[in-house]
Amino acid sequence: MGEEIVEPREILRRTRIEVAPYLREIAEHSRAIIPRMEVSKRWIDYYEAVGKVRRLSASERRRLEEHRKAYDVLTARREVYSAAARYGRTRKPTDLIALRQAQSRYYEAKAETLPPEKKKEMREKMVPPKEMYDRLAEIRGEIEEKCKRFLGVKFRRPPYHLMPIERKVYEEKILGAQLRDLYAEAYDISQKGKEMSELIEHYKEMKKLGAEI
Amino acid sequence: MDIKLLHDLSIQQLKAEFWRGIDGFFLGTYWFLRMKNVHSFVRDVTVKGGLKKAFGIPDGVLYEHGSDRTIKSEAKDKFRMFIRPPLDALREAVCFNPDVIQVMDLPLDDGDDEKRVCEKLAINRDIVEDYHGWLVKNGFRSSSCYRDGLPKFSKFMLLGVCHGDYVDAYAEEAKFMMKKCEVLGVPVAGLLTHIKGLSKKQRYDYMFQVLSKVLDVIGDSRVLQLMGFGLSDIMEIPRLVKLAQKYDATVWMDTSTLVRNSVHARKVLSFNVKNPNVVEYVNVAKVEGAEGFSALDIFRENNRVLKGLLTQTQLLSG
């Protein structure tokens, strides 16, 4: 026997009846999570059931997606609350780790509710600038090449084995100076965030102000 | 009490699915900073929503993002890597969307005098404050805190590394770090390799003294990570388990030795038939039934054996 086919109108009616008590509960307790989850779940079931009977329209598909995301956020929020309560009772590191992981999932679920373009933009904004990576890679390449040449000249390896002695001394001097400059620049780039002296000064000031360092 | 093994995995190993069936993994920045297109790699991972999503790693596997390593002046290839501003490294770490972010730290050198040690420790503390401040500013942590100082909400956990030049200094650092960090790391690798003139037993004794002092301070309130404790001496497991049981501590261990032995040396953890009390790494060619093992097989086998040893030791000492 095949499954009984129910009209979409009938499914809608049943869903509305099922959702009504939860809506009343939400009206009384605006921050309640479980009734909201139940509402989202019912609507997800409704759209899935309708999808079996006929093709969903674009707006229906959008609403289904919204309900799914809302359901994920609510589940994650519920997990956060239960993990926080457990950590509050026990204060164990394992529960702390569980709490942090639940919070991370909640953050992710919230981020999923953003429109895709906005989400991509937010993520891309976090990526460090390309110039920094490029410059460091460039300097690294230059240093590697110069080191290789320097060693070649110093130990008279081919193709520098026939180089006259005056030329060898001159080359060593020039390459040494260039290498020194490159190291200095790399060091500058790497340290431009906060210099060590600045950090020490900051530490002294904080200590003077009575910070518990 | 809980002991977890965190394996130091590279990008290639993650691609080869080394993450299946493990507690967690540690990814150092040195694995990708030397790649040709670092920026596009970081950007790709970010757009995909983090490293776990990009590689299809399940949520249950802990992902710890390492910090840049500083270069020692006597290192052979000092141009290999550069230290970046800590906040740039943090920004990059956030892009990888890990569970735990290691706070950048300055390690102590043998030649450091008293003043230099104090400066370095002060800088380490400043970096921890900076990391926390940046995460709060960018909405990844809440500014409201629990009574013990930890923020009520945090997207990421922080791993603060406690350095020191004597036993109590580690405890002092831990006392400071535990206000901002969920995981406290003790760089034990240096204690086991860099101290000259001490026997192996004395080195391990000193390491356990340090760990006891740190655990006296943090007790069972924070996770203790043994950084670089590759378990090169498997026979020291019972001592560690006893210590963890005494404090009911949660301990995470770096297992670089296990990865190195599995992937490069092709050695499996085995019992010695002539002396069944000894467990050691033995080349696959010498172990019956392990001749055809690939690197991944060896890694899985070693992980399984080590976890089994830890469980057995816990049961026997409990």
Side-chain angles (χ1 to χ4, degrees):
Chain A
M1 290 290 284
E3 206 178 314
E4 186 197 351
I5 296 171
V6 187
E7 281 294 306
R9 191 182 286 273
E10 180 59 25
I11 307 173
L12 180 63
R13 194 165 159 269
R14 282 182 198 172
T15 309
R16 278 187 178 153
I17 292 167
E18 282 173 14
V19 160
Y22 296 116
L23 289 178
R24 277 198 293 278
E25 207 172 324
I26 292 168
E28 280 174 34
H29 308 283
S30 59
R31 298 178 73 183
I33 296 174
I34 293 170
R36 279 176 199 278
M37 279 171 72
E38 291 294 336
V39 170
S40 295
K41 203 173 149 193
R42 295 290 188 285
W43 282 113
I44 291 167
D45 290 347
Y46 161 73
Y47 287 116
E48 277 172 358
V50 170
K52 282 177 193 164
V53 182
R54 64 168 165 80
R55 194 181 156 77
L56 293 179
S57 68
S59 64
E60 282 172 332
R61 279 201 299 277
R62 184 173 48 78
R63 268 184 238 140
L64 170 62
E65 206 49 44
E66 277 170 11
H67 278 298
R68 275 194 184 137
K69 281 175 183 170
Y71 186 75
D72 288 345
V73 171
L74 291 164
T75 318
R77 192 187 287 174
R78 195 173 165 224
E79 265 179 42
V80 169
Y81 283 137
S82 76
R86 201 176 308 114
Y87 176 60
R89 283 195 303 275
T90 63
R91 296 275 160 187
K92 292 273 176 202
T94 39
D95 294 324
L96 175 62
I97 303 298
L99 170 64
R100 290 295 187 237
Q101 283 180 326
Q103 286 172 339
S104 174
R105 278 194 289 274
Y106 176 61
Y107 189 95
E108 291 292 317
K110 283 283 268 187
E112 284 299 315
T113 55
L114 289 172
E117 308 80 46
K118 178 93 178 157
K119 197 166 64 187
K120 197 177 171 198
E121 193 191 316
M122 291 272 286
R123 280 175 179 167
E124 277 187 348
K125 218 169 75 180
M126 271 294 146
V127 183
K130 190 171 185 293
E131 296 78 48
M132 197 191 79
Y133 289 116
D134 285 351
R135 188 61 200 136
L136 285 177
E138 210 176 285
I139 293 175
R140 192 172 62 206
E142 280 176 40
I143 290 176
E144 274 178 42
E145 190 208 315
K146 289 217 159 46
C147 279
K148 208 173 160 188
R149 201 166 148 210
F150 185 80
L151 291 174
V153 171
K154 193 176 177 188
F155 297 108
R156 291 178 162 272
R157 288 176 190 150
Y160 308 104
H161 58 298
L162 296 175
M163 192 179 271
I165 190 81
E166 302 84 33
R167 178 85 186 144
K168 179 183 173 267
V169 172
Y170 178 72
E171 280 272 332
E172 274 180 12
K173 205 175 160 188
I174 294 286
L175 283 170
Q178 284 172 349
L179 271 172
R180 255 197 316 278
D181 289 347
L182 284 169
Y183 278 131
E185 196 181 340
Y187 185 78
D188 277 350
I189 289 177
S190 63
Q191 291 293 320
K192 73 182 174 189
K194 222 173 198 182
E195 282 183 9
M196 197 175 272
S197 55
E198 271 177 20
L199 283 165
I200 295 164
E201 279 307 311
H202 171 66
Y203 169 69
K204 282 180 188 162
E205 268 176 37
M206 295 294 284
K207 195 131 197 193
K208 232 186 257 175
L209 291 169
E212 215 179 297
I213 300 181
Chain B
M1 194 203 72
D2 184 34
I3 299 183
K4 276 192 167 50
L5 301 176
L6 296 187
H7 301 289
D8 190 354
L9 297 183
S10 67
I11 300 286
Q12 284 77 12
Q13 285 160 355
L14 287 175
K15 275 181 194 163
E17 301 196 351
F18 271 62
W19 44 263
R20 276 191 202 282
I22 61 172
D23 293 334
F25 65 94
F26 178 92
L27 180 80
T29 50
Y30 40 87
W31 292 116
F32 57 86
L33 273 184
R34 292 164 65 196
M35 283 160 70
K36 268 189 180 170
N37 297 318
V38 195
H39 181 261
S40 33
F41 174 72
V42 176
R43 197 177 158 276
D44 280 356
V45 170
T46 314
V47 172
K48 282 175 186 164
L51 192 90
K52 274 194 190 178
K53 279 186 188 161
F55 286 89
I57 302 167
D59 261 353
V61 180
L62 268 169
Y63 163 31
E64 205 173 270
H65 191 87
S67 76
D68 294 1
R69 281 191 187 168
T70 48
I71 317 148
K72 283 191 175 175
S73 50
E74 69 268 22
K76 215 184 265 178
D77 45 0
K78 58 170 118 176
F79 50 86
R80 185 183 277 181
M81 229 176 300
F82 305 111
I83 321 155
R84 288 173 293 173
L87 292 183
D88 272 2
L90 172 62
R91 199 168 146 186
E92 186 189 85
V94 165
C95 293
F96 280 77
N97 200 4
D99 295 306
V100 187
I101 298 175
Q102 184 192 343
V103 179
M104 195 186 267
D105 60 300
L106 280 176
L108 304 184
D109 284 332
D110 294 342
D112 289 344
D113 58 2
E114 187 74 20
K115 195 181 162 208
R116 187 84 181 136
V117 169
C118 289
E119 281 173 6
K120 282 188 172 181
L121 295 182
I123 290 166
N124 285 344
R125 289 180 177 206
D126 273 341
I127 297 174
V128 172
E129 294 276 1
D130 284 354
Y131 266 47
H132 173 74
W134 191 90
L135 289 174
V136 171
K137 196 179 148 196
N138 286 278
F140 295 111
R141 283 195 147 195
S142 62
S143 49
S144 59
C145 300
Y146 286 117
R147 269 184 217 160
D148 57 4
L150 282 183
K152 284 187 179 166
F153 177 88
S154 182
K155 166 89 173 75
F156 304 105
M157 288 179 264
L158 285 183
L159 159 64
V161 187
C162 311
H163 290 280
D165 51 346
Y166 64 101
V167 178
D168 288 326
Y170 287 93
E172 276 293 311
E173 284 302 291
K175 203 172 168 184
F176 174 83
M177 299 278 177
M178 67 186 289
K179 288 177 193 161
K180 298 276 183 279
C181 305
E182 287 83 358
V183 185
L184 299 181
V186 179
V188 289
L191 299 180
L192 297 175
T193 51
H194 288 165
I195 304 173
K196 286 170 190 163
L198 291 181
S199 68
K200 194 172 154 191
K201 190 182 172 300
Q202 284 169 324
R203 286 177 193 188
Y204 272 98
D205 284 348
Y206 182 69
M207 187 197 82
F208 280 110
Q209 269 184 41
V210 170
L211 293 183
S212 307
K213 277 279 175 188
V214 173
L215 282 168
D216 276 339
V217 173
I218 63 168
D220 61 348
S221 66
R222 299 284 184 279
V223 179
L224 177 69
Q225 179 158 347
L226 311 185
M227 306 193 71
F229 190 59
L231 278 175
S232 41
D233 192 354
I234 297 287
M235 305 317 283
E236 292 293 331
I237 285 182
R239 256 173 109 180
L240 181 72
V241 170
K242 265 189 188 160
L243 187 74
Q245 274 178 340
K246 187 181 161 194
Y247 290 91
D248 192 18
T250 305
V251 181
W252 291 355
M253 288 192 291
D254 276 4
T255 54
S256 42
T257 308
L258 188 143
V259 177
R260 204 167 41 245
N261 274 320
S262 309
V263 179
H264 305 295
R266 302 287 169 116
K267 287 179 174 177
V268 279
L269 270 174
S270 320
F271 288 102
N272 191 332
V273 181
K274 287 177 187 167
N275 185 2
N277 294 325
V278 176
V279 183
E280 57 191 351
Y281 289 102
V282 186
N283 193 292
V284 277
K286 292 180 185 169
V287 182
E288 212 179 304
E291 295 88 351
F293 274 18
S294 67
L296 181 57
D297 296 334
I298 302 170
F299 171 75
R300 283 186 183 154
E301 179 67 17
N302 284 342
N303 179 46
R304 210 166 50 84
V305 171
L306 194 52
K307 280 177 90 170
L309 278 176
L310 282 167
T311 320
Q312 269 194 357
T313 320
Q314 282 175 47
L315 288 172
L316 288 173
S317 24

